[in-house]
């Protein structure tokens, strides 16, 4: 009995020892493989799992698909400041209710050109960004759809002559098609990169002469008939009387195109029905009327690429300053071309004409099948 | 442990479900005959409608729960922001009314008795109600959003500047807040620079909404330049500064002020008014 008592006491004593408080020991054949985790290790694993779940739950399924799409193809239309989608704004108020308002709680406010310029000048004053002579950029969001659903307005790059030129530090290479050698020299003196005669045209068609480097082409009226074969190669750079590239006074034309504004219409690689055009229209230090006239000529030139019957080509025009993120939407409705009634009628006729053809075809087929059945009976 | 717990939990869950199913739900359904029984000619007795099985077939025309029930007319018993003032008779969304206003006794159903009862109470309390200051809900909303912002006031690193209205307005515009009518007021002790001691310094300025509501706002001076090589980096500058930080710059937490009439234009000395309120 004494031994039993001693053994009990010893057992009780063992409970006080720290080893009794350790984790359950694992006994069995594969003891080493099944060794459990300590509390710290279990906590670590749980934290890692929660982190991973939080990272997963950050975005919903559709958002993750969009993010993956964005990573593969960057859409310039959706990068800052993004595109105006009227549906997203329809719940917001039209006009701000109070004299102080938050931009995100009201629909896009359209400012007049002078008001937008005033606001940009306030930002670029010497006390702030100190850049009063900054170039002003017009970011135009375009709708590239045409009558046919599968066909979009194509990319083009052209130089638009503007009434009030300004200093832009861009290198412009201009090609001059002149027959006379004297006039060729004159052309090169007044700023053309190179002047060509009628003999070089065949080389261009064959491909021996590179014309991709040149931004625009100017031609003398003597050569007007001879450069026609190059129309397909030059496309929007082709000089015609309409865009001012064909004329008698070569130096003046070269001046006009050297100081003109380069307007590139770029379709969006991700969303083909969207497009962008971001020409530099002037400098902040220019007077408001000059900038307005420049903007008018550029907008009119850009809108020529799509028939006005289909709707507004320009979704929204933002005035921005390089470098900077400040942007203000501008009213350019007065510069947009208005579709004439004749054109609208023509478009409707074409649409209804297609519909009628489809209907008559279906009706005729139905009649034929009925006749066949009757014949069988 | 587990088997014992489930023994206790399961039965209680079952009883709760049964209880929920016992509560009544009443709806109205409109049916019509699929096969219409013929009209009884005059003088004759009606044939029993259960004669033919077809006459007992019905189809559902309309159910009460198909159409959304419209808004509910209630009488407000207190000033509720965004909906109306005390004793106003308002049409409110049904969910809001039932789950929020009626339960918390902020509103009562517009029954004929209640309309008369609260109408009389309104007449009796007319003077008291007229004395109350009522701030339009839009001002309150905008004021709250503005107070959450810490506006980075961009100033030049190279040129001399003095903090004035146009700098603050332009900085606010960059944050997405447009001030249309010169409603920005700054303290008289102007800050000028460029002085890198003032970098990241917090200042107090006031924005006035519709010439009536003065909102105190916080701005942080940040030196910038168009030259990208000279950019300064910030830790998370968008968070609300803590009370300690505010005290460091001598800014006391303030509340917005609503003036009785829209009189606060450029000549009004807003800063003195707010300072006198601070001391109270």
């Amino acid at each position: 009995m004494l031994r039993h008592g001693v053994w009990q006491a010893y057992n009780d004593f063992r409970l006080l020892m720290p080893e009794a408080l350790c984790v359950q020991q694992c006994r069995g054949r594969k003891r080493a493989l099944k060794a459990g985790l300590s509390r710290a290790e279990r906590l670590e694993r749980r934290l890692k799992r929660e982190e991973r779940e939080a990272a997963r739950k950050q975005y919903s399924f559709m958002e993750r698909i969009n993010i993956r799409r964005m990573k593969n193809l960057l859409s310039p239309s959706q990068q800052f400041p993004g595109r105006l989608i009227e549906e997203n704004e329809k719940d917001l108020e039209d006009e701000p209710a109070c004299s102080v308002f938050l931009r995100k709680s009201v629909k896009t406010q359209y400012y007049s050109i002078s008001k937008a310029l005033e606001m940009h000048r306030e930002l670029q004053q010497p006390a702030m960004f100190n850049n009063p002579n900054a170039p002003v950029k017009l970011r135009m969001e375009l709708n590239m759809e045409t009558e046919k659903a599968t066909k979009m307005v194509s990319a083009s790059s052209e130089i638009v002559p503007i009434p009030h030129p300004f200093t832009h530090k861009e290198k412009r290479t201009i090609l001059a098609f002149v027959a006379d050698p004297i006039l060729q020299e004159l052309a090169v003196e007044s700023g053309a990169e190179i002047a060509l005669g009628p003999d070089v045209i065949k080389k261009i068609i064959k491909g021996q002469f590179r014309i991709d480097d040149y931004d625009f082409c100017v031609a003398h009226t003597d050569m007007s008939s001879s450069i026609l074969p190059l129309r397909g190669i030059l496309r929007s750079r082709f000089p015609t009387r309409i865009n001012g590239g064909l004329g008698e006074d070569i130096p003046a034309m070269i001046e006009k195109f050297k100081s003109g504004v380069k307007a590139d219409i770029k379709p969006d690689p991700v969303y083909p029905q969207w497009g962008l055009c971001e020409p530099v229209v002037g400098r902040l230090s220019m007077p408001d009327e000059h900038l307005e006239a420049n903007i008018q000529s550029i907008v009119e030139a850009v809108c020529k690429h799509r028939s006005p019957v289909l709707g507004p080509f320009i979704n929204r025009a933002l005035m921005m300053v390089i470098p900077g993120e400040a942007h203000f939407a501008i009213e350019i409705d007065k510069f947009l071309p208005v579709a004439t009634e004749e054109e609208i009628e023509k478009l409707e006729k074409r649409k209804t004409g297609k519909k009628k053809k489809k209907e008559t075809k279906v009706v005729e087929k139905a009649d034929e099948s009925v006749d066949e059945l009757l014949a069988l009976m | 442990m587990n088997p014992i717990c489930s023994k206790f939990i399961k039965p209680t869950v079952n009883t709760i479900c049964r209880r929920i199913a016992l509560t009544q739900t009443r709806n109205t359904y409109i049916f019509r005959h699929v096969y219409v029984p013929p009209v009884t000619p005059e003088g004759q007795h009606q044939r029993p409608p259960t004669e033919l099985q077809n006459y007992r077939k019905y189809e559902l025309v309309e159910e009460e729960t198909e159409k959304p029930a419209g808004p509910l007319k209630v009488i407000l018993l207190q000033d509720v922001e965004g909906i109306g003032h005390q004793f106003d008779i308002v049409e409110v969304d049904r969910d809001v009314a039932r789950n929020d206003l009626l339960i918390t006794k902020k509103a009562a159903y517009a029954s004929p008795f209640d309309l008369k009862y609260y109408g009389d109470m309104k007449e009796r309390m007319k003077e008291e109600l007229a004395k109350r200051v009522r701030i339009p809900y839009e001002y309150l909303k905008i004021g709250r959003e503005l107070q959450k912002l810490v506006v980075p006031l961009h100033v030049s690193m190279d040129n001399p500047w003095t903090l004035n209205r146009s700098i603050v307005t332009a900085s606010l515009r960059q944050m997405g807040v447009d001030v249309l009518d010169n409603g920005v007021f700054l303290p008289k002790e102007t800050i000028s620079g460029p002085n890198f001691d003032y970098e990241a310094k917090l200042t107090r300025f006031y924005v006035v909404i519709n010439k009536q509501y003065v909102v105190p706002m916080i701005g942080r001076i940040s030196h910038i330049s168009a030259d990208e090589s000279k950019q300064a980096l910030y830790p998370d500058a968008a968070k609300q500064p803590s009370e300690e930080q505010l005290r460091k710059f001598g800014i006391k937490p303030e509340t917005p002020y609503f003036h009785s009439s829209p009189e606060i234009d450029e000549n009004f000395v807003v800063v003195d008014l707010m300072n006198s309120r601070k001391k109270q």
Side-chain angles (χ1 to χ4, degrees), chain A residues 99-101 103 122 127-128, chain B residues 142 156 159 173 176 178 180 210:
Chain A
S99 63
V100 177
F101 65 96
R103 253 189 179 184
E122 219 181 4
M128 292 184 79
Chain B
I142 297 178
S156 169
N159 289 24
R173 214 177 278 131
D178 290 72
L180 293 176
N210 271 8

Side-chain angles (χ1 to χ4, degrees), chain B residues 36-42 46:
Chain B
V36 181
V39 176
T40 320
E42 275 198 37
Q46 187 195 17

Side-chain angles (χ1 to χ4, degrees), chain A residues 303-322:
Chain A
C303 283
K304 282 199 191 136
H305 287 260
R306 192 175 97 136
S307 143
V309 189
L310 299 163
F313 189 32
I314 300 178
N315 194 23
R316 174 174 71 156
L318 293 171
M319 185 187 275
M320 297 169 66
V321 157
I322 305 169

Side-chain angles (χ1 to χ4, degrees), chain A residues 75-315:
Chain A
S75 160
S77 295
Q78 283 190 328
Q79 283 170 13
F80 184 80
R83 196 175 162 97
L84 172 71
I85 300 176
E86 253 133 56
E87 269 184 3
N88 295 357
E89 287 199 341
K90 63 178 176 189
D91 295 328
L92 304 172
E93 299 150 14
D94 280 328
E95 288 291 320
C98 309
S99 63
V100 177
F101 65 96
L102 295 150
R103 253 189 179 184
K104 57 184 181 191
S105 55
V106 185
K107 282 195 181 142
T108 344
Q109 296 287 302
Y110 289 90
Y111 299 101
S112 68
I113 293 177
S114 20
K115 181 89 179 69
L117 282 171
E118 193 193 306
M119 293 200 277
H120 272 301
R121 279 180 192 137
E122 219 181 4
L123 249 187
Q124 303 290 333
Q125 63 181 292
M128 292 184 79
F129 280 100
N130 189 24
N131 199 358
N133 200 27
V136 173
K137 175 174 84 160
L138 197 71
R139 180 184 158 107
M140 294 186 278
E141 297 157 9
L142 309 170
N143 299 324
M144 309 289 267
E145 293 147 339
T146 52
E147 269 181 47
K148 297 190 187 165
T150 45
K151 192 171 176 213
M152 300 285 158
V153 175
S154 50
S156 57
S157 136
E158 60 169 355
I159 302 189
V160 182
I162 42 170
H164 303 279
F166 59 96
T167 46
H168 58 82
K169 295 162 194 159
E170 292 170 33
K171 278 194 259 178
R172 294 265 175 83
T173 43
I174 299 185
L175 192 62
F177 286 105
V178 201
D180 225 356
I182 312 166
L183 286 177
Q184 281 183 4
E185 278 179 30
L186 183 63
V188 176
E189 270 175 46
S190 49
E193 181 77 15
I194 193 165
L196 306 172
D199 37 327
V200 195
I201 294 177
K202 281 191 188 162
K203 280 195 194 168
I204 299 176
I205 300 173
K206 278 193 197 169
Q208 288 171 356
F209 197 82
R210 291 220 61 195
I211 45 126
D212 298 333
D213 318 330
Y214 303 101
D215 293 319
F216 205 74
C217 307
V218 171
H220 196 75
T221 33
D222 303 341
M223 300 266 289
S224 59
S225 47
S226 9
I227 44 172
L228 289 172
L230 302 174
R231 186 182 276 259
I233 308 170
L234 295 176
R235 283 175 197 271
S236 50
R237 292 176 285 180
F238 189 76
T240 61
R241 204 165 279 278
I242 311 168
N243 64 16
L246 200 64
E248 293 287 336
D249 194 4
I250 297 282
M253 288 198 296
I254 292 178
E255 259 315 302
K256 208 163 46 152
F257 286 107
K258 273 264 179 192
S259 56
V261 161
K262 192 148 199 228
D264 292 325
I265 296 183
K266 292 167 280 201
D268 193 287
V270 180
Y271 300 102
Q273 71 269 30
W274 292 353
L276 260 188
C277 182
E278 291 177 308
V280 175
V281 292
R283 297 233 164 212
L284 257 189
S285 46
M286 287 163 62
D288 294 352
E289 303 87 31
H290 289 206
L291 279 163
E292 206 171 318
N294 283 358
I295 291 175
Q296 182 171 6
S297 40
I298 290 173
V299 165
E300 281 171 2
V302 163
C303 283
K304 282 199 191 136
H305 287 260
R306 192 175 97 136
S307 143
V309 189
L310 299 163
F313 189 32
I314 300 178
N315 194 23

